Amino acid sequence: MSKKRQLLIDTALTLFYSHGIHGIGINEILKVSGVAKRTLYSHFTSKEELLLAALEARHHVFIQWLESKLSNAKNDLEVATQLFESLADWFDNNEPLLGEFRGCFFINTCGEYSDVSCEIRQLCEQHKSKVRQVIADKISSDNQTCVATLSILMEGAIVTAQVSGKKALLIEDCINASQAMLH
Amino acid sequence: MSKKRQLLIDTALTLFYSHGIHGIGINEILKVSGVAKRTLYSHFTSKEELLLAALEARHHVFIQWLESKLSNAKNDLEVATQLFESLADWFDNNEPLLGEFRGCFFINTCGEYSDVSCEIRQLCEQHKSKVRQVIADKISSDNQTCVATLSILMEGAIVTAQVSGKKALLIEDCINASQAMLH
DNA sequence: TTGTATGTAGACAATTCGGTCTACTTTTTG
DNA sequence: CAAAAAGTAGACCGAATTGTCTACATACAA
């Protein structure tokens, strides 16, 4: 992997994430990264291809982060608490790996693309599917409902933190709801 | 309220909602609505002002819809079931008042605007605050946690339906989680 | 009748968009 | 060393962007 290529992906990810895809032009990405336009188009055929690369990069970073955060949970309740407490750290910008919190990059991206069958949307869907899988792998019970509920609470927490501001109560509620579900 | 003004707001709302704010140009809104550009700029000083009007219009429609859906719930559990079953109808495009489901317009909008203190974001935050208030007014118990959890589940359901498309199981999970919470 | 509101079509300006291209320089590698 | 690969700056293209402006038409109420 070329150094410039990685720099372009990183810069695109940061800018797309914070200003939306259509809110950021190619020229802005070039200016911020300091890479020449010719170089960009030797690595990517279009803006969309750069976006796809950025989505994939974010996917890998996020999944790796999530797996590490849940790695030492010893039972289902610990999975839940560690999940939501890690999210709280993200919301409070205490997770350098994930950068400044601006909601979920994949949710934000879906808001800008209406065609559900396009490659971009499919990548977003696959990411969410993988996130659920990571949680499922840590849940000992074969109860599929538990995984689904945790995922829904997770999405709700992310969106609420983004739109309504980050609150300590939010995470408490998620953990309480998890406890109620796990009897 | 002028007829053309309302037509512009309705058209802008539909197009913004389905393609994102920055994905839709003024000219497209004019073409679809059949209104002259001069007329638009006699009613609104800028695209942003039109967006604010569209957000407000959506806010009123959604709140009215939500209130009507929860109006005849007789206890907390009924509030929860009617809430999530109404959401299911929305996801399945069986709620003409809300139009074709494309996630939450306010969440999608927040994804395109990073400045939390700008007027657009504040409108989105106020909308979510009002949604929580509508739910709170129907919950008999003074338990604030119940309202918060329902809200989080609601946001999670909306986002999951938008990104991952799973609908039937999703609503079941939300209702199950509500039941667990309400003992 | 005569203002005044509100509407029309569309040219135009200034800027930005994604993307191509030329000409040149640097870095890596066999 | 020499060839190939990867980089640079930035002019340029056509299309699209938001917003302004001129000139004119229609509807309605005092």
Side-chain angles (χ1 to χ4, degrees):
Chain A
M1 173 86 74
S2 154
K3 208 153 192 154
K4 294 289 177 179
R5 181 188 164 90
Q6 193 59 55
L7 176 59
L8 283 167
I9 293 175
D10 292 344
T11 308
L13 175 55
T14 302
L15 293 176
F16 285 156
Y17 182 37
S18 58
H19 298 96
I21 320 296
H22 294 104
I24 285 293
I26 287 291
N27 293 319
E28 183 69 14
I29 296 171
L30 297 173
K31 210 180 78 185
V32 171
S33 65
V35 175
K37 188 176 275 197
R38 190 66 156 78
T39 305
L40 188 157
Y41 282 100
S42 73
H43 287 297
F44 308 96
T45 66
S46 63
K47 183 186 183 182
E48 179 167 326
E49 203 172 280
L50 176 59
L51 168 59
L52 287 169
L55 284 166
E56 268 192 54
R58 180 64 173 187
H59 171 69
H60 288 120
V61 167
F62 190 88
I63 292 297
Q64 200 167 357
W65 172 82
L66 184 63
E67 282 174 340
S68 78
K69 289 297 170 179
L70 304 183
S71 61
N72 54 351
K74 288 178 181 55
N75 53 56
D76 290 358
L77 188 57
E78 275 192 30
V79 171
T81 55
Q82 291 189 10
L83 169 64
F84 293 116
E85 272 162 13
S86 301
L87 288 181
D89 287 337
W90 181 24
F91 302 163
D92 290 334
N93 294 325
N94 289 129
E95 291 293 344
L97 256 172
L98 301 183
E100 195 186 330
F101 177 72
R102 276 267 304 141
C104 169
F105 184 39
F106 300 87
I107 295 173
N108 295 351
T109 298
C110 285
E112 295 196 58
Y113 291 88
S114 52
D115 181 7
V116 185
S117 63
C118 75
E119 208 174 343
I120 294 165
R121 288 288 299 257
Q122 288 188 342
L123 254 185
C124 295
E125 188 175 340
Q126 282 163 25
H127 168 74
K128 292 300 185 186
S129 176
K130 178 67 179 168
V131 167
R132 281 190 296 270
Q133 189 59 54
V134 169
I135 295 174
D137 289 346
K138 297 299 293 182
I139 293 292
S140 56
S141 61
D142 55 355
N143 191 352
Q144 197 61 25
T145 303
C146 173
V147 176
T149 304
L150 286 181
S151 302
I152 295 168
L153 286 171
M154 177 180 178
E155 303 291 3
I158 292 172
V159 164
T160 304
Q162 176 186 13
V163 177
S164 304
K166 341 170 199 313
K167 293 172 197 164
L169 283 172
L170 213 166
I171 298 303
E172 262 185 57
D173 286 326
C174 288
I175 293 175
N176 283 340
S178 304
Q179 284 174 330
M181 174 185 58
L182 296 168
H183 313 130
Chain B
M1 171 84 76
S2 154
K3 206 155 191 155
K4 296 286 177 180
R5 182 187 164 89
Q6 191 59 53
L7 176 61
L8 283 167
I9 292 174
D10 292 344
T11 308
L13 174 55
T14 301
L15 293 176
F16 285 156
Y17 181 38
S18 57
H19 298 95
I21 320 296
H22 294 104
I24 285 294
I26 286 293
N27 292 322
E28 184 70 14
I29 296 171
L30 297 173
K31 211 179 77 182
V32 172
S33 65
V35 174
K37 187 175 275 195
R38 190 68 215 273
T39 305
L40 190 156
Y41 282 101
S42 73
H43 286 297
F44 308 96
T45 67
S46 65
K47 183 186 182 183
E48 178 168 326
E49 202 172 280
L50 175 59
L51 168 60
L52 288 170
L55 285 165
E56 268 193 54
R58 181 65 173 185
H59 171 68
H60 288 121
V61 167
F62 191 87
I63 292 298
Q64 199 168 356
W65 173 83
L66 185 62
E67 282 175 340
S68 78
K69 290 295 170 180
L70 303 185
S71 61
N72 53 352
K74 289 180 180 53
N75 53 58
D76 290 359
L77 188 58
E78 275 191 29
V79 171
T81 56
Q82 291 188 10
L83 168 64
F84 292 117
E85 274 163 12
S86 300
L87 287 181
D89 288 336
W90 180 26
F91 300 163
D92 290 334
N93 293 325
N94 289 129
E95 291 291 346
L97 257 172
L98 300 182
E100 195 186 330
F101 177 72
R102 277 267 306 143
C104 168
F105 184 40
F106 300 88
I107 295 172
N108 295 350
T109 299
C110 284
E112 295 195 58
Y113 292 88
S114 51
D115 179 7
V116 186
S117 63
C118 73
E119 207 175 343
I120 293 165
R121 288 288 300 255
Q122 289 189 339
L123 253 185
C124 294
E125 187 176 340
Q126 283 163 24
H127 167 75
K128 293 299 186 188
S129 175
K130 177 67 179 169
V131 167
R132 282 190 295 270
Q133 189 57 54
V134 169
I135 296 175
D137 289 346
K138 297 299 293 182
I139 293 292
S140 57
S141 62
D142 56 356
N143 191 353
Q144 197 64 24
T145 303
C146 173
V147 176
T149 304
L150 286 181
S151 301
I152 294 168
L153 286 170
M154 177 179 176
E155 303 291 5
I158 293 172
V159 163
T160 304
Q162 177 187 14
V163 177
S164 303
K166 34 177 52 193
K167 291 160 191 167
L169 286 170
L170 187 68
I171 298 304
E172 262 184 58
D173 286 325
C174 287
I175 293 176
N176 282 342
S178 303
Q179 283 174 331
M181 173 185 60
L182 296 168
H183 307 131

